[in-house]
Amino acid sequence: MKQIVLLVSLIMGITVAKAQTQPTPPNLDSSPLDMSYYPVDYPVLKIQDKVSEPLVARVVYSRPQKRGRKLFGDLISYGQIWRLGANEATEIEFFRDVKIDNKIAKKGRYTLYALVNEDKWTVILNKETDTWGAFRYDSSKDVLRSTVAVEKRSDIAEAFSISFQKSGKGADLLFSWDDVLVRLPITW
């Protein structure tokens, strides 16, 4: 009986030790999922009871990496629709009615796309949600479009980023990757 217990203990010990030395799977997502809020850091402020203004918007997106590639005009073709990230199409949810380019976007959830050009982007809110990439993009479901200027940055953003920055009577939705920064003004 002691030999059986010893043998089972030995096998279990080897199994546990081997399981702890397995390498990390090589197929981890290279474009991790992220979220941005306005007000910035809203969930943290909420649990700390420091919320000074109501939740206005949340963006859910994946963050592709530059990894030495030429991005705009190559990986992301000029004049073609882009999902503003990787994997699933980027989504924005407004928790109140807002204005973009003097057009009203009603409270609700939308997919964000862009027509990217060297000097300007046309940012698009589309009512088709829960979709992958831009493969089934349907312009007849566009809610609004806004054309905004491209700003060149002196530093390089390795990972695609979307964030909010307070401005005037609302916030700018910032898109940043490589040496490009684009601001979409949102008011309420």
Side-chain angles (χ1 to χ4, degrees), residues 144-161:
L144 66 81
R145 289 175 170 226
S146 179
T147 301
V148 289
V150 169
E151 300 173 33
K152 288 296 186 173
R153 302 167 38 120
S154 58
D155 58 328
I156 301 296
E158 178 63 30
F160 177 66
S161 297

Side-chain angles (χ1 to χ4, degrees), residues 82-147:
W82 179 42
R83 61 185 151 198
L84 283 166
N87 304 329
E88 294 88 354
T90 295
E91 290 190 4
I92 188 165
E93 183 170 5
F94 295 115
F95 297 91
R96 62 175 297 165
D97 293 355
V98 298
K99 282 187 180 178
I100 298 173
D101 209 9
N102 289 318
K103 301 168 204 148
I104 294 177
K106 295 279 189 189
K107 174 182 175 179
R109 194 165 56 115
Y110 304 92
T111 300
L112 278 171
Y113 295 103
L115 287 170
V116 175
N117 287 294
E118 193 168 0
D119 60 340
K120 64 185 176 189
W121 289 12
T122 300
V123 179
I124 303 164
L125 264 70
N126 186 281
K127 62 185 173 183
E128 181 73 31
T129 59
D130 302 307
T131 186
W132 185 271
F135 303 108
R136 293 192 177 215
Y137 166 73
D138 181 353
S139 64
S140 72
K141 295 181 180 179
D142 289 353
V143 173
L144 66 81
R145 289 175 170 226
S146 179
T147 301

Side-chain angles (χ1 to χ4, degrees), residues 63-83:
R63 302 186 68 192
Q65 311 297 307
K66 180 172 170 46
R67 293 192 320 252
R69 301 177 289 184
K70 181 177 182 327
L71 300 177
F72 299 106
D74 191 24
L75 180 66
I76 300 160
S77 300
Y78 288 138
Q80 291 188 5
I81 201 79
W82 179 42
R83 61 185 151 198

Side-chain angles (χ1 to χ4, degrees), residues 15-32:
T15 303
V16 169
K18 185 172 179 156
Q20 292 182 0
T21 61
Q22 292 295 319
T24 303
N27 59 349
L28 288 178
D29 193 347
S30 61
S31 299

